[in-house]
């Protein structure tokens, strides 16, 4: 092993807003916070999802190869319909893509993520 995973860092224009979205989606807590950077996770000594402020975010345009998704988060859920209602309430946007086992959305900053049926 070369190293140990610390965080997945997501660029965004409003770290507070996007961290709040993912806190609700994943059931995590804030473990580090300042004006430019917020990390959420299970505990301060565990790997985190971090949100870094950028002045101008170039949003992915999935599945457009000119503006690729770059990365996405898969979230396991027990009920796609119930989970969809909740993420839309939190500010997600449906991309009207997927199958009977997963659905594709964007978070409030335009990053794609999937709800995946367990």
């Amino acid at each position: 092993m070369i190293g140990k995973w610390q965080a997945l860092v997501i660029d965004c224009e409003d770290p507070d807003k996007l961290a709040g979205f993912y806190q609700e989606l994943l059931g995590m807590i804030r473990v580090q916070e300042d004006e430019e950077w917020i990390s959420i996770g299970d505990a301060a000594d565990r790997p985190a999802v971090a949100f870094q402020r950028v002045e101008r975010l170039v949003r992915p345009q999935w599945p457009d190869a000119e503006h690729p998704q770059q990365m996405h988060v898969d979230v396991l859920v027990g009920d796609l319909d119930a989970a969809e209602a909740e993420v839309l309430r939190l500010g997600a946007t449906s991309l009207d893509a997927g199958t009977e086992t997963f659905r594709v959305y964007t978070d409030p900053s335009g990053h794609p993520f999937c709800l995946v049926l367990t």
Side-chain angles (χ1 to χ4, degrees):
M1 177 174 76
I2 296 172
K4 189 174 175 183
W5 175 41
Q6 178 185 0
L8 167 67
V9 181
I10 300 174
D11 287 349
C12 59
E13 294 170 326
D14 187 343
D16 182 60
K17 179 178 179 181
L18 200 57
F21 174 85
Y22 279 99
Q23 277 180 258
E24 289 288 322
L25 178 63
L26 301 174
M28 295 180 166
I29 60 170
R30 291 190 186 206
V31 295
Q32 181 183 7
E33 182 172 4
D34 64 38
E35 289 185 22
E36 302 298 316
W37 180 283
I38 296 174
S39 296
I40 64 171
D42 297 326
D45 63 340
R46 308 254 320 169
V49 179
F51 307 92
Q52 173 178 267
R53 184 182 311 279
V54 295
E55 290 300 316
R56 185 181 158 276
L57 180 67
V58 177
R59 293 175 180 243
Q61 303 291 317
W62 184 88
D64 177 4
E66 292 296 314
H67 302 94
Q69 66 178 326
Q70 302 160 8
M71 67 92 198
H72 74 271
V73 175
D74 283 348
V75 180
L76 292 175
V77 299
D79 182 322
L80 281 173
D81 292 333
E84 176 175 76
E86 286 299 306
V87 298
L88 294 175
R89 181 186 62 78
L90 292 172
T93 301
S94 173
L95 294 182
D96 297 318
T99 68
E100 60 277 347
T101 61
F102 77 94
R103 296 182 188 159
V104 185
Y105 306 84
T106 58
D107 66 26
S109 288
H111 302 101
F113 71 96
C114 294
L115 297 178
V116 180
L117 190 60
T118 56

